[in-house]
Amino acid sequence: MKCTILHDTAGRLRVHLCCKRMTLRQADVLEYYLLAVDGVRSVKVYDRTRDAVVVYDAERERMIRALARFSFEKAEKLDLAPEHTSRTLNREFEDKLALTVMRRCASNLFLPAPVTSALAVIRSAKYIKEGLLALWHRKLSVAVLDATAVTVSMVRGDFATAGSVMFMLRLGEILEEWTHKKSVADLASAMSLRVENVWQQVDGTEVLTKVTDVKPGDRIVIRTGGMIPLDGRVVEGEAMVNQSSLTGESMPVAKRPGSPVYAGTVAEEGECVVCVEKVSGSGRYDRVVRMIEESEKLKSTAEDKASRMADRLVPYTLGGTAVTYLLTRDVTKMLAVLMVDFSCALKLAIPVAVLSAMRESSGHHISVKGGRFLEAVAKADTIVFDKTGTLTYATPKVAQVIPFGGHREADMLRLAACLEEHYPHSMANAVVEEAKRQGLTHEEYHSQVQYVVAHGISSMVENKKVIIGSAHFVFEDEGCCIPEGEQEKYDALPAAYSHLYLCIDGELAAVICIHDPLR
């Protein structure tokens, strides 16, 4: 894509894209494309001016190359941008706010007084109706104050003041709705699965199907690296599934026929066929999203108190209005008391603050399900933590390599990394990373690697059978043994770690201790 650099300083670029127009979707595509470039810290795209501001800590040349390679068609195919972003919502309310202000300005500047008065009467119907309904239900709420201010202004023939009151109320409604919807949308976006299509088994063949068209009882195929989009049960195959999105536990769990699987989890290894039990929107992951979207129902004590206090202030405000009129006989001053009422601020401020706190928490990878839980944390004097992903990084690392049978530690780590680099298992990644950290090269000197899901790896090295995996796999399935005279050393293996067992020619050669480091 051809673009012009408008501003260039250390770590910051502002560019203008040379295209006729930019849609909201294209702005999202550009933003997420640039965010995917290594070294980019933040991106802001302005669709109306077709400008983009990029803050980065990488080489400037890399940013220039990334911009030069960009095209909307290619970036769209990368599927980096989510289907729903806050850009469309923001534009909707920006337009709504601008339209409300422009209507008000046009009405005051160009319409004659009789027309503006008639419009004020028509618009007042909504507020007066809400006030009368509150009185009908024997409630002196904020709606009564609004209706009173509008009605008194019109009764005394001051349609301009009535119009101003309704204009300010309308602006408040738009801003309140905007803040609420944006907070909920950001939360939902942070937790969305972003899976649109799945491979469905139909009459022995696989058909690419929209996830929304999948029904309970349908079978879908999940392969290595694929996210499971719906709750169901495994009916064929085996896979190691990472359930950290639900449990915080990063260690993959073996799933075999009959095992339940949940939406939002990822198949790290293997391949399986899942019989869907719950359709999109009804699974466990979707229920969590829905609970957060309806979080205003889980109000904190402070929100309830503020709401009740706002309603209790209404009689005092009405009383103050009456006293002001009796003392001054000035309707304008009487209306001023109504307009400076604090009930609305009380009722609006705390719920918006709670939603904003929830949205801010989601940015730090903390899911808050309602205001009452924020309040509970503030009052807590004891907190119980689950270890994985909370007190730990949820990224396994090699803590120790214990050799057996006279083998060298570095040689065993090199051999293990040579086998494990073929699979995306988190423990396999830990072994490969440790070998890389120690500067151990591990060229391919083994035969074809055979992988047994949830068990381990088997191969041939220098005409000797080499296996690595769980204790069950190497000792029970493969019948390997501990070298003579080293049983005591084996019994002393540290129980604080997870263990990977490496065997050569039927004999234990090393035990690799894996741990999840504390934060």
Side-chain angles (χ1 to χ4, degrees):
M1 172 66 70
K2 194 174 180 181
C3 57
T4 305
I5 297 176
L6 302 177
H7 192 260
D8 186 2
T9 57
R12 185 181 184 276
L13 270 177
R14 185 184 185 99
V15 298
H16 175 77
L17 272 72
C18 301
C19 54
K20 292 182 179 179
R21 59 186 296 273
M22 185 185 292
T23 64
L24 296 178
R25 177 62 186 173
Q26 287 175 331
D28 284 333
V29 168
L30 174 60
E31 181 176 323
Y32 281 88
Y33 167 81
L34 292 173
L35 284 172
V37 177
D38 289 339
V40 172
R41 288 164 49 198
S42 65
V43 178
K44 202 162 188 179
V45 178
Y46 302 91
D47 57 281
R48 286 193 174 107
T49 60
R50 305 185 296 284
D51 291 350
V53 176
V54 185
V55 178
Y56 60 94
D57 51 18
E59 296 177 358
R60 180 181 179 277
E61 288 70 22
R62 179 188 294 177
M63 302 309 307
I64 300 299
R65 286 196 300 269
L67 287 165
R69 287 195 304 265
F70 173 78
S71 75
F72 290 116
E73 293 77 14
K74 292 179 181 178
E76 185 73 61
K77 291 177 182 177
L78 295 175
D79 199 25
L80 297 172
E83 185 178 356
H84 303 289
T85 65
S86 59
R87 190 184 300 273
T88 304
L89 180 67
N90 288 344
R91 179 57 51 80
E92 176 191 344
F93 280 93
E94 284 171 7
D95 292 347
K96 195 179 290 187
L97 199 63
L99 187 60
T100 301
V101 173
M102 286 190 291
R103 279 178 179 170
R104 175 68 179 168
C105 294
S107 176
N108 287 346
L109 291 173
F110 303 113
L111 295 181
V115 175
T116 56
S117 300
L119 289 174
V121 172
I122 294 170
R123 290 170 185 158
S124 68
K126 170 192 171 184
Y127 300 98
I128 294 172
K129 179 183 177 182
E130 290 175 356
L132 292 174
L133 283 173
L135 290 173
W136 178 262
H137 291 99
R138 299 182 179 181
K139 291 181 180 178
L140 282 176
S141 63
V142 176
V144 176
L145 292 181
D146 297 339
T148 303
V150 172
T151 303
V152 170
S153 297
M154 290 197 299
V155 166
R156 63 192 293 260
D158 191 353
F159 294 101
T161 299
S164 297
V165 170
M166 289 185 286
F167 171 66
M168 296 301 293
L169 290 173
R170 176 60 181 157
L171 288 183
E173 290 169 2
I174 292 172
L175 292 173
E176 179 184 2
E177 186 182 2
W178 189 355
T179 304
H180 178 270
K181 282 192 174 182
K182 191 174 189 310
S183 298
V184 172
D186 287 349
L187 284 168
S189 176
M191 296 188 68
S192 64
L193 299 184
R194 298 177 184 174
V195 177
E196 297 180 1
N197 301 306
V198 294
W199 287 103
Q200 181 182 351
Q201 268 194 355
V202 181
D203 298 328
T205 61
E206 294 182 14
V207 179
L208 191 62
T209 309
K210 286 187 177 180
V211 71
T212 52
D213 294 336
V214 177
K215 305 178 184 63
D218 289 347
R219 294 187 172 197
I220 58 176
V221 181
I222 307 296
R223 294 187 171 85
T224 299
M227 179 177 285
I228 299 171
L230 304 164
D231 289 3
R233 198 167 292 273
V234 177
V235 291
E236 292 178 24
E238 291 186 12
M240 296 295 290
V241 177
N242 186 324
Q243 301 186 139
S244 59
S245 60
L246 296 179
T247 65
E249 174 61 68
S250 64
M251 295 296 182
V253 179
K255 298 291 183 179
R256 301 181 178 88
S259 301
V261 291
Y262 304 104
T265 58
V266 178
E268 285 197 352
E269 308 166 37
E271 180 179 325
C272 63
V273 178
V274 174
C275 180
V276 175
E277 293 181 346
K278 293 182 179 176
V279 295
S280 181
S282 63
R284 178 192 288 188
Y285 205 87
D286 297 292
R287 289 198 297 271
V288 173
V289 175
R290 194 180 305 118
M291 183 183 294
I292 292 178
E293 288 177 333
E294 297 174 355
S295 59
E296 61 270 19
K297 297 178 182 178
L298 301 173
K299 289 183 178 178
S300 62
T301 306
E303 288 178 275
D304 288 333
K305 283 182 179 177
S307 182
R308 289 195 296 270
M309 186 181 293
D311 289 337
R312 283 202 298 270
L313 281 175
V314 173
Y316 294 100
T317 302
L318 290 173
T321 302
V323 170
T324 301
Y325 180 73
L326 289 174
L327 292 176
T328 64
R329 299 294 175 175
D330 189 327
V331 176
T332 303
K333 291 180 180 179
M334 179 192 79
L335 285 173
V337 176
L338 284 175
M339 294 307 299
V340 186
D341 168 60
F342 294 100
S343 304
C344 288
L346 272 175
K347 220 164 190 175
L348 175 63
I350 296 183
V352 168
V354 168
L355 276 172
S356 298
M358 290 171 62
R359 185 180 62 184
E360 186 72 16
S361 298
S362 72
H364 293 279
H365 309 290
I366 302 170
S367 294
V368 182
K369 297 178 182 177
R372 67 173 64 172
F373 303 112
L374 283 172
E375 197 170 57
V377 169
K379 295 178 180 178
D381 58 8
T382 304
I383 299 176
V384 180
F385 289 99
D386 173 29
K387 70 172 184 66
T388 308
T390 306
L391 298 180
T392 65
Y393 283 103
T395 306
K397 294 185 181 298
V398 173
Q400 189 178 0
V401 178
I402 304 173
F404 286 80
H407 295 285
R408 293 177 62 245
E409 179 180 324
D411 291 339
M412 295 301 96
L413 180 59
R414 180 185 290 110
L415 177 58
C418 186
L419 298 175
E420 294 283 20
E421 70 178 348
H422 295 277
Y423 296 95
H425 191 289
S426 55
M427 292 179 73
N429 292 337
V431 173
V432 175
E433 285 300 317
E434 180 63 18
K436 187 186 296 182
R437 190 186 70 80
Q438 294 189 20
L440 301 175
T441 57
H442 43 89
E443 290 85 1
E444 300 286 346
Y445 58 92
H446 55 74
S447 63
Q448 185 177 0
V449 175
Q450 295 180 337
Y451 179 69
V452 182
V453 176
H455 287 76
I457 298 171
S458 174
S459 186
M460 295 295 293
V461 177
E462 297 176 351
N463 296 320
K464 293 181 180 179
K465 186 175 183 180
V466 178
I467 62 173
I468 184 170
S470 64
H472 171 77
F473 177 54
V474 301
F475 294 124
E476 296 180 24
D477 292 353
E478 296 293 330
C480 296
C481 63
I482 299 167
E484 188 175 346
E486 296 193 85
Q487 182 65 46
E488 187 175 339
K489 182 180 180 181
Y490 176 82
D491 293 337
L493 289 173
Y497 303 126
S498 300
H499 299 142
L500 269 178
Y501 300 86
L502 176 65
C503 296
I504 300 176
D505 213 15
E507 188 175 84
L508 182 65
V511 175
I512 301 174
C513 300
I514 309 287
H515 78 127
D516 193 1
L518 290 170
R519 288 183 184 274

